Amino acid sequence: MSAGGFCKLPNGSVVVALTLPSPSPGGGTVRMIVHAVNRARALTRLRNLGMRAVYLRGNAEPPTPDEVTAVLHHPDGLIWRAAPDTLNELWHPIRALRRQGRGAVPF
């Protein structure tokens, strides 16, 4: 089960944050941040990438202001980093996670 949440921006769009199991062989979890028109569209963007069992139930872990700023400044509007963030890791585009997860079990 994924933990996550969302926040609605003044222009009506939303930022959704989810903590999911990592597809890489090392395991762990990743924090995914998605910017979209609405929550359903954000989850659809993740499902289209192969993450079929992604659901947002409740708002237990909404995105922090830093996460919102990071995703709004990224051209794809979809970023990730390892969770929990213990080494102040930078945000990565989704392409980096998909490249890293090759050969691993898909989401």
Side-chain angles (χ1 to χ4, degrees):
M1 179 68 83
S2 62
F6 69 95
C7 69
K8 193 162 188 161
L9 302 177
N11 66 359
S13 63
V14 297
V15 174
V16 174
L18 293 167
T19 304
L20 304 168
S22 175
S24 66
T29 58
V30 294
R31 180 83 166 164
M32 306 287 290
I33 311 294
V34 184
H35 178 236
V37 176
N38 56 39
R39 285 180 288 175
R41 191 70 57 100
L43 295 176
T44 299
R45 287 186 71 189
L46 291 172
R47 288 181 186 129
N48 287 343
L49 292 170
M51 300 175 224
R52 299 291 181 216
V54 175
Y55 296 98
L56 181 61
R57 301 194 196 291
N59 201 13
E61 293 181 22
T64 64
D66 290 338
E67 292 173 337
V68 172
T69 301
V71 77
L72 290 178
H73 284 90
H74 195 274
D76 292 340
L78 180 57
I79 56 177
W80 70 275
R81 74 174 166 196
D85 178 32
T86 56
L87 302 173
N88 291 326
E89 179 182 1
L90 297 176
W91 291 99
H92 306 283
I94 192 65
R95 291 181 298 270
L97 183 64
R98 295 183 72 190
R99 225 175 310 146
Q100 181 183 21
R102 294 227 171 141
V105 177
F107 292 92

